[in-house]
Amino acid sequence: MIKKKYLNVYKLLTGRVATNIADSLFYMAILWYFKETGHSPLMVALIFSIEAGIDIISFGFGPLIDRLSVKKLLKYSTLIQIVISVIIACVLYLKQNNVIIDIFLLLLFGISTILSSIIYPTEYKLLPVLVEKKDLLHFNGLFQVSYKILDLVLDGITTFIIATTSISITIIISAVIFTIALFIYARVQINMLAKDVLKSEEYFTGSYLKDLQVGWVTLKSESNIIELILPLCVVNFFFGIYDVGLPYFAESYIHDSAIGYGGLLMVSSIGSILGALVIQHFKLGKKNMEAFITLCFLGAGIFRLLVPLTVKTSVIFALISSAISSLWITMMNIDFETLVQTSFSSAILGRIDTINDSILSLMIPLGTFGGSWIIEKFGSISTQYVYGVALLVSAIYYFGVTRYRKRLK
């Protein structure tokens, strides 16, 4: 019954899965090209910088995402990615290595990354008009578990494809999968009521800059969401500290090889998948969603602190604690996404989502710089303690905010 009712949602999910696979193949192939063809490590660093930089400035895409037709955005963005993949495959086939070619490839990579930064928020804003509010948490969890499982297996599969074929063949495969995504997006149907919601003139001025300002003003006017976003920025800063320290911590305390780091990443991915599966069975109203964020931060913080506290006595227990912490974090992220979707009209969700992403993305690279200093001064284990404490402090903050609101009512 639900499959017929939400057939377009499953089409959207299938298109998103195909896009995710194609993106991963494309990204890994480009990264591998610059890594394996004798270029300077600076070129590899540029790829990471381009990706991070586009995440930070993604708020600038918000007015376009909200103003343009959702179906056209999905179709034309995907079509351009197909063209880019074919062009790059042809360039790689010619085997002409020089600075101009490198710059050209980086430019195409940047355009493809921008298009991905447009596709994902477009799908995010489309979901609430295709799904009833009571089912949003379920479908956000379903989308997330699909991504997490893909992330867990794609890097290994992509590396295998590159090793057994070639970089240019891998790019061609990505183009084929982008084509499949395009075929699926073309078959997503949006009814007239949903179109009316998406094109509500209340949120549009006819000016790009004013539309962008409307997004900021609308976000600021929803004080409940602002109170939740600001601490998330702080947590993301400390996540950057934790993330940069993780490989050093793993090598020192889990296993003195890449196995230690890989093991931590693996259990965290498993925890995230379980979190995305568990959250699908929750039925939370808007007020309960805010309270649930407090519980998630508390659970994540406790188990994140247990990792460095127990790793010297039991590596297995530390790994399990890491998985459980990731489970709580994933549930919190999905809960927060759903809360934002239920707090704003889909007509402005493109701007709201990209503004949030820009703010949160900015904090992680800042945290990595701080993490490098902490590792040198206090050791890698301190980066794990810092992040755990930050999560617990956030839980206390959210608890205080929700209690304060109850007193006002």
Side-chain angles (χ1 to χ4, degrees):
M1 184 73 180
I2 195 167
K3 286 190 176 181
K4 286 185 179 179
K5 182 180 179 182
Y6 288 139
L7 182 60
N8 283 304
V9 182
Y10 289 107
K11 288 178 184 176
L12 189 67
L13 174 60
T14 306
R16 176 65 186 267
V17 166
T19 300
N20 203 352
I21 293 170
D23 270 340
S24 294
L25 288 167
F26 180 86
Y27 173 79
M28 287 293 288
I30 294 294
L31 186 66
W32 212 258
Y33 169 79
F34 284 110
K35 181 178 179 293
E36 295 296 311
T37 53
H39 293 72
S40 165
L42 176 63
M43 300 301 288
V44 176
L46 274 174
I47 290 175
F48 291 113
S49 299
I50 289 169
E51 189 176 35
I54 289 170
D55 284 341
I56 291 169
I57 65 166
S58 63
F59 70 90
F61 310 139
L64 300 175
I65 293 168
D66 284 333
R67 171 57 72 180
L68 300 177
S69 162
V70 169
K71 278 196 71 171
K72 286 181 179 178
L73 267 177
L74 290 174
K75 288 194 294 184
Y76 289 129
S77 296
T78 307
L79 179 61
I80 295 169
Q81 286 184 310
I82 295 168
V83 173
I84 288 172
S85 296
V86 172
I87 291 172
I88 290 179
C90 292
V91 171
L92 296 183
Y93 181 77
L94 294 173
K95 297 182 179 179
Q96 297 295 315
N97 299 330
N98 56 60
V99 174
I100 294 174
I101 293 294
D102 289 349
I103 293 171
F104 181 63
L105 291 176
L106 285 174
L107 178 63
L108 291 177
F109 171 76
I111 295 170
S112 180
T113 305
I114 288 171
L115 292 170
S116 294
S117 297
I118 290 173
I119 288 174
Y120 295 145
T122 301
E123 293 169 334
Y124 176 79
K125 71 169 284 171
L126 184 56
L127 193 58
V129 296
L130 298 178
V131 172
E132 291 180 20
K133 281 188 177 182
K134 64 182 179 67
D135 294 322
L136 260 178
L137 201 61
H138 167 76
F139 279 103
N140 277 321
L142 181 62
F143 272 56
Q144 278 297 320
V145 75
S146 302
Y147 310 153
K148 296 294 182 183
I149 291 173
L150 281 175
D151 289 341
L152 191 62
V153 301
L154 273 177
D155 285 351
I157 291 174
T158 304
T159 305
F160 175 78
I161 292 171
I162 293 171
T164 54
T165 58
S166 67
I167 294 171
S168 57
I169 293 294
T170 305
I171 294 285
I172 288 294
I173 294 171
S174 79
V176 171
I177 299 175
F178 273 130
T179 304
I180 294 170
L182 176 61
F183 178 81
I184 296 166
Y185 289 143
R187 278 153 181 75
V188 174
Q189 296 176 339
I190 305 171
N191 62 41
M192 289 305 298
L193 182 61
K195 287 180 180 178
D196 289 342
V197 172
L198 291 168
K199 293 301 176 186
S200 173
E201 291 299 324
E202 178 186 353
Y203 298 101
F204 300 100
T205 66
S207 164
Y208 167 82
L209 290 176
K210 287 182 180 178
D211 281 353
L212 188 60
Q213 186 179 14
V214 168
W216 286 97
V217 171
T218 305
L219 179 59
K220 283 172 61 180
S221 67
E222 189 69 32
S223 59
N224 291 6
I225 300 298
I226 288 292
E227 287 172 351
L228 298 176
I229 289 174
L230 294 179
L232 281 175
C233 293
V234 177
V235 169
N236 265 23
F237 173 81
F238 287 103
F239 173 79
I241 293 174
Y242 153 83
D243 199 36
V244 77
L246 197 62
Y248 301 98
F249 170 76
E251 187 177 0
S252 300
Y253 297 95
I254 303 296
H255 195 281
D256 59 352
S257 71
I259 293 173
Y261 184 48
L264 271 176
L265 294 180
M266 177 69 75
V267 297
S268 294
S269 295
I270 292 170
S272 294
I273 290 168
L274 291 174
L277 285 169
V278 170
I279 196 74
Q280 292 180 47
H281 301 288
F282 289 13
K283 298 289 184 184
L284 300 174
K286 189 173 177 181
K287 291 180 182 177
N288 291 333
M289 285 182 193
E290 294 176 10
F292 186 65
I293 288 176
T294 304
L295 180 63
C296 287
F297 271 115
L298 180 63
I302 289 171
F303 283 98
R304 182 52 58 197
L305 283 174
L306 283 175
V307 175
L309 283 171
T310 62
V311 71
K312 292 180 181 178
T313 54
S314 175
V315 169
I316 298 298
F317 187 81
L319 289 172
I320 292 171
S321 297
S322 183
I324 297 173
S325 179
S326 295
L327 177 147
W328 284 109
I329 287 291
T330 298
M331 289 200 295
M332 184 276 296
N333 286 333
I334 295 170
D335 181 71
F336 178 73
E337 284 183 357
T338 307
L339 181 60
V340 172
Q341 286 171 322
T342 56
S343 299
F344 300 96
S345 166
S346 284
I348 199 170
L349 264 181
R351 278 163 282 181
I352 299 297
D353 185 45
T354 51
I355 289 169
N356 289 346
D357 283 347
S358 291
I359 295 170
L360 297 175
S361 296
L362 176 63
M363 301 307 295
I364 295 175
L366 293 176
T368 59
F369 287 111
S372 301
W373 178 80
I374 288 173
I375 292 168
E376 287 185 13
K377 294 291 182 181
F378 305 103
S380 61
I381 198 168
S382 59
T383 62
Q384 311 305 296
Y385 280 118
V386 164
Y387 183 47
V389 170
L391 290 169
L392 285 182
V393 170
S394 296
I396 294 168
Y397 166 84
Y398 284 123
F399 178 75
V401 166
T402 52
R403 292 279 293 179
Y404 177 70
R405 285 192 199 138
K406 285 181 181 177
R407 288 176 188 169
L408 291 178
K409 293 175 183 177

